[in-house]
Amino acid sequence: MEPVEIWDILPRRLQRVLGPLEGGVEELRLRAFQPPSVAVGGRERSLDCGALTPDELWRITEAAAGGSLWSCESQLRRGYLSLSGGARLGICGEVNLEHGEIRS
């Protein structure tokens, strides 16, 4: 699977507020029920585009996995998905294990 560009998987409303910052963003933090935030110049600031829904986060994650989370299971075990340009999409939350394997 070819890694995707982070820009291509973000919701349009988030792309609009990130556009002017694109070159200087060191880290983008996306959390359910909270507005996104960015780290620029070592400082974190909240973005004015409203809170993200769990469904939006799911779509971003699924797009980062090229539509197949199953094919990225080994990366997900390490807590991230690789994106193009050396970027990573870190994943956190709850996991359901069965015999040491991720089930959900």
Side-chain angles (χ1 to χ4, degrees), residues 57-71:
L57 292 174
W58 176 255
R59 286 189 301 235
I60 290 167
T61 305
E62 193 171 44
S68 176
L69 289 172
W70 177 258
S71 68

Side-chain angles (χ1 to χ4, degrees), residues 32-44:
F33 307 114
Q34 296 181 38
S37 63
V38 292
V40 178
R43 300 185 71 196
E44 185 175 354

Side-chain angles (χ1 to χ4, degrees), residues 29 53 62 93 96 104:
R29 295 182 180 151
T53 67
E62 193 171 44
N96 179 5
S104 63

Side-chain angles (χ1 to χ4, degrees), residues 1-11 30 55-73 75-76 79-84 87-91:
M1 180 189 83
E2 194 69 26
V4 298
E5 293 279 340
I6 185 67
W7 192 258
D8 296 334
I9 64 175
L10 296 175
L30 308 175
D55 187 55
E56 285 175 308
L57 292 174
W58 176 255
R59 286 189 301 235
I60 290 167
T61 305
E62 193 171 44
S68 176
L69 289 172
W70 177 258
S71 68
C72 300
E73 188 174 348
Q75 286 186 68
L76 288 170
Y80 67 87
L81 293 173
S82 294
L83 303 173
S84 66
R88 291 183 185 179
L89 176 68
I91 307 291

Side-chain angles (χ1 to χ4, degrees), residues 12-61:
R12 297 278 183 242
R13 66 188 176 101
L14 189 50
Q15 289 178 3
R16 282 192 295 274
V17 297
L18 279 172
L21 304 172
E22 188 177 354
V25 174
E26 298 159 359
E27 187 172 324
L28 174 62
R29 295 182 180 151
L30 308 175
R31 301 173 188 101
F33 307 114
Q34 296 181 38
S37 63
V38 292
V40 178
R43 300 185 71 196
E44 185 175 354
R45 83 175 214 203
S46 187
L47 298 175
D48 187 23
C49 65
L52 291 170
T53 67
D55 187 55
E56 285 175 308
L57 292 174
W58 176 255
R59 286 189 301 235
I60 290 167
T61 305

